[in-house]
């Protein structure tokens, strides 16, 4: 049988159906289907578990806030630390970090507060900015004014709310002044006045600029 005859014979054969192809590749098909089933099942399990974890974390956070409201920082601290240790990956666990850091700050424990503020992470830019501002406040408490100014400036850049942006930038300038960086402070204050005119932050910034000018500091022309 020559090559032409073989080719004609092959062409004369019926084309395999989809079923034939699936049967031929059944091991591959079964493997793919199993993988899909496992992925879907795993995703549903993870979603259900995440929901259950968040419900438990939310309840624990509610209990912790009772101690905060009753003015018992020691019990509140213990409760929040346990919550974070168990449900730190949930939204309520993340919120607990802000609460705990703030309690540490009010208890004049800036190093502990700073560590917790830095551990906080949120997709909400204003919340993220609040944690940056909290960390900056800890540096004020430590009298690390240059670091505090940098932190407040970063908080201003991060925030979406215009009022917060202006307020944080004022705080940055205030700490630049405390750090002896009056020229840098004047630039930030000028930005507040020009970017958010008519706001209370702009009024505060303007008064500070007049004071700096009276002290001989070169301030931008208004």
């Amino acid at each position: 049988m020559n090559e032409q005859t073989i080719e004609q014979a092959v062409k004369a054969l019926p084309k395999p159906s989809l079923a034939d192809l699936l049967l031929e590749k059944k091991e591959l098909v079964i493997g793919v289907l199993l993988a899909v089933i496992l992925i879907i099942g795993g995703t549903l399990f993870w979603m259900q578990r995440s929901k259950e974890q968040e419900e438990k974390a939310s309840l624990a956070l509610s209990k912790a806030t009772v101690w905060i409201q009753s003015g018992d920082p020691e019990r509140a601290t213990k409760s929040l630390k346990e919550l974070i240790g168990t449900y730190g990956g949930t939204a309520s666990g993340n919120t607990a970090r802000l609460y705990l850091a703030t309690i540490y700050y009010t208890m004049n424990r800036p190093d502990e507060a700073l560590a917790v503020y830095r551990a906080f992470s949120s997709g909400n830019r204003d919340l993220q900015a609040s944690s940056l501002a909290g960390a900056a406040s800890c540096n004020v408490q430590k009298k690390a004014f240059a670091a505090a100014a940098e932190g407040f400036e970063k908080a201003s850049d991060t925030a979406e709310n215009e009022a917060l942006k202006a307020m944080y930038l004022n705080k940055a300038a205030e700490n630049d002044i405390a750090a002896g960086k009056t020229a840098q402070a004047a630039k930030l204050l000028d930005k507040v006045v020009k970017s958010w005119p008519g706001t209370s932050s702009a009024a505060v910034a303007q008064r500070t600029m007049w004071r700096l000018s009276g002290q001989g500091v070169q301030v931008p022309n208004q």
Side-chain angles (χ1 to χ4, degrees):
M1 183 179 290
N2 57 37
E3 290 184 5
Q4 185 176 3
T5 305
I6 293 172
E7 186 178 346
Q8 290 174 347
V10 170
K11 288 182 178 180
L13 291 173
K15 292 184 179 181
S17 65
L18 178 59
D20 292 331
L21 291 174
L22 290 176
L23 284 172
E24 182 182 342
K25 304 293 185 181
K26 64 179 180 180
E27 291 185 359
L28 175 61
V29 172
I30 291 171
V32 170
L33 289 176
L34 283 175
V36 171
I37 290 168
L38 288 172
I39 290 170
I40 293 174
T43 301
L44 292 174
F45 174 78
W46 179 84
M47 289 174 64
Q48 180 62 29
R49 179 172 174 77
S50 296
K51 182 180 178 182
E52 291 174 357
Q53 292 286 90
E54 172 55 30
E55 288 175 352
K56 291 177 181 178
S58 179
L59 178 60
L61 185 60
S62 297
K63 292 179 179 178
T65 55
V66 172
W67 299 120
I68 296 173
Q69 292 167 358
S70 66
D72 192 336
E74 292 297 340
R75 286 190 178 182
T77 298
K78 181 181 178 182
S79 181
L80 289 168
K81 286 175 71 174
E82 290 175 352
L83 193 165
I84 294 167
T86 306
Y87 306 110
T90 65
S92 293
N94 206 30
T95 301
R97 289 188 177 92
L98 278 183
Y99 288 3
L100 179 60
T102 303
I103 291 172
Y104 279 145
Y105 172 76
T106 57
M107 294 172 71
N108 199 30
R109 293 160 66 175
D111 289 322
E112 290 166 280
L114 197 55
V116 182
Y117 274 128
R118 286 173 174 167
F120 178 83
S121 179
S122 173
N124 182 301
R125 294 187 62 176
D126 287 335
L127 276 180
Q128 188 64 41
S130 73
S131 72
L132 292 170
S137 296
C138 293
N139 279 317
V140 174
Q141 209 168 58
K142 289 160 62 71
K143 300 189 184 304
F145 300 117
E150 184 179 342
F152 279 120
E153 192 169 354
K154 189 173 181 180
S156 177
D157 290 339
T158 302
E160 286 187 323
N161 182 282
E162 297 294 307
L164 291 177
K165 292 176 82 70
M167 181 181 71
Y168 292 148
L169 207 59
N170 257 347
K171 295 293 290 183
E174 178 184 312
N175 281 279
D176 271 328
I177 293 170
K181 299 181 177 181
T182 52
Q184 170 66 10
K187 289 179 182 178
L188 298 182
L189 293 167
D190 183 58
K191 183 177 178 180
V192 173
V193 171
K194 291 179 177 176
S195 299
W196 301 284
T199 65
S200 58
S201 290
V204 170
Q206 184 63 75
R207 286 196 297 270
T208 305
M209 289 180 71
W210 287 334
R211 177 168 58 82
L212 290 176
S213 181
Q215 295 171 353
V217 177
Q218 186 70 38
V219 300
N221 293 325
Q222 300 296 300

